[in-house]
């Protein structure tokens, strides 16, 4: 009885928060409603006995993806009035694309049939004394460890490739030379600097930067009463 009541409560909040994600005018509010939807979906997974999926949903999606969305939305200076200017112009094209996607989803659902053995495998119990997370861990890290490591290597190569493609060498950038720091001669001295002392007072002079603007010369015009 309690589990059924909790299911309907979490499901209702999940549906309401998902609707608010789409209909909210403020993108920050949309991300917050998305986080609420993730938490309620995790609660539904816990009710269904899939604690591993609930944990992954909270850790990965709420702790990483949703927070990343929130920081990106808050850091970008988006002019929403400018974004809504072309809404009416592109509304027919968007309606056509949405109709095509809806038709494809209807065709997929109309032709979808369960396999005969799906009903028996769906409620396959875990081995005695083994939790859901432990059973999934055995499948991932014991039975399919080489496939799991191969997928990790593919993601690592993709991440390195993205960094290399977006890396730009800017001229004039000062980089750290670890070899020069380690092989320097002499020792490092510790000095007591009085509070409020400037760089020139303690004998530290900064070399002039070539980008510093020179003081502009004021031209004096004689005659006509203007200087």
């Amino acid at each position: 009885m309690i589990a059924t009541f909790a299911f309907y409560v979490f499901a209702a909040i999940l549906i309401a928060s998902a609707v608010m994600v789409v209909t909210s005018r403020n993108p920050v509010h949309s991300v917050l409603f998305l986080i609420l939807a993730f938490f309620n979906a995790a609660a539904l997974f816990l009710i269904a006995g899939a604690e591993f999926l609930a944990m992954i949903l909270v850790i990965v999606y709420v702790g990483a993806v949703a927070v990343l969305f929130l920081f990106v939305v808050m850091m970008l200076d988006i002019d929403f009035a400018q974004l809504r200017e072309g809404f009416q112009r592109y509304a027919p094209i968007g309606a056509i694309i949405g109709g095509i996607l809806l038709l494809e989803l209807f065709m997929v659902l109309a032709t979808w049939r369960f396999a005969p053995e799906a009903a028996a495998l769906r409620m396959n119990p875990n081995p005695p004394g083994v939790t859901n997370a432990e059973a999934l861990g055995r499948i991932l890290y014991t039975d399919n460890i080489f496939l799991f490591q191969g997928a990790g290597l593919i993601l690592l190569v993709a991440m390195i490739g993205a960094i290399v493609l977006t890396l730009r060498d800017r001229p004039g950038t000062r980089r750290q030379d670890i070899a020069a720091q380690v092989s320097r001669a002499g020792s490092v001295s510790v000095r007591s600097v009085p509070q409020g002392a400037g760089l020139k007072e303690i004998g530290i002079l900064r070399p002039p930067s070539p980008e510093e603007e020179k003081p502009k010369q004021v031209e004096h015009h004689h005659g006509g009463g203007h200087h």
Side-chain angles (χ1 to χ4, degrees), residues 128-150:
V130 178
T131 60
N132 180 261
E134 185 178 354
L136 288 174
R138 288 182 180 180
I139 295 174
L140 286 176
Y141 306 118
T142 304
D143 301 337
N144 301 313
I145 181 63
F146 295 108
L147 296 177
F148 183 82
Q149 294 293 335

Side-chain angles (χ1 to χ4, degrees), residues 2-79:
I2 298 178
T4 304
F5 177 74
F7 171 80
Y8 284 111
V9 170
F10 288 123
I13 298 176
L14 174 60
I15 295 173
S17 58
V19 172
M20 293 301 298
V21 170
V22 181
T23 58
S24 295
R25 294 182 177 272
N26 194 331
V28 177
H29 296 169
S30 297
V31 176
L32 294 177
F33 280 116
L34 181 63
I35 295 175
L36 179 61
F38 284 153
F39 273 112
N40 285 274
L44 293 179
F45 280 129
L46 285 177
I47 294 175
E51 65 273 5
F52 179 79
L53 295 178
M55 179 177 58
I56 290 299
L57 189 62
V58 173
I59 294 176
V60 177
Y61 284 91
V62 177
V65 178
V67 175
L68 178 62
F69 287 167
L70 185 61
F71 274 102
V72 170
V73 169
M74 295 177 63
M75 291 175 63
L76 293 180
D77 188 12
I78 302 175
D79 189 1

Side-chain angles (χ1 to χ4, degrees), residues 169-203:
D169 188 10
R170 300 179 180 178
T173 304
R174 300 182 62 182
R175 300 183 181 277
Q176 183 182 11
D177 191 355
I178 300 178
Q181 294 177 351
V182 174
S183 61
R184 68 179 184 272
S187 59
V188 179
S189 60
V190 180
R191 300 179 58 180
S192 177
V193 180
Q195 185 178 2
L199 295 178
K200 293 183 179 180
E201 184 177 342
I202 60 178

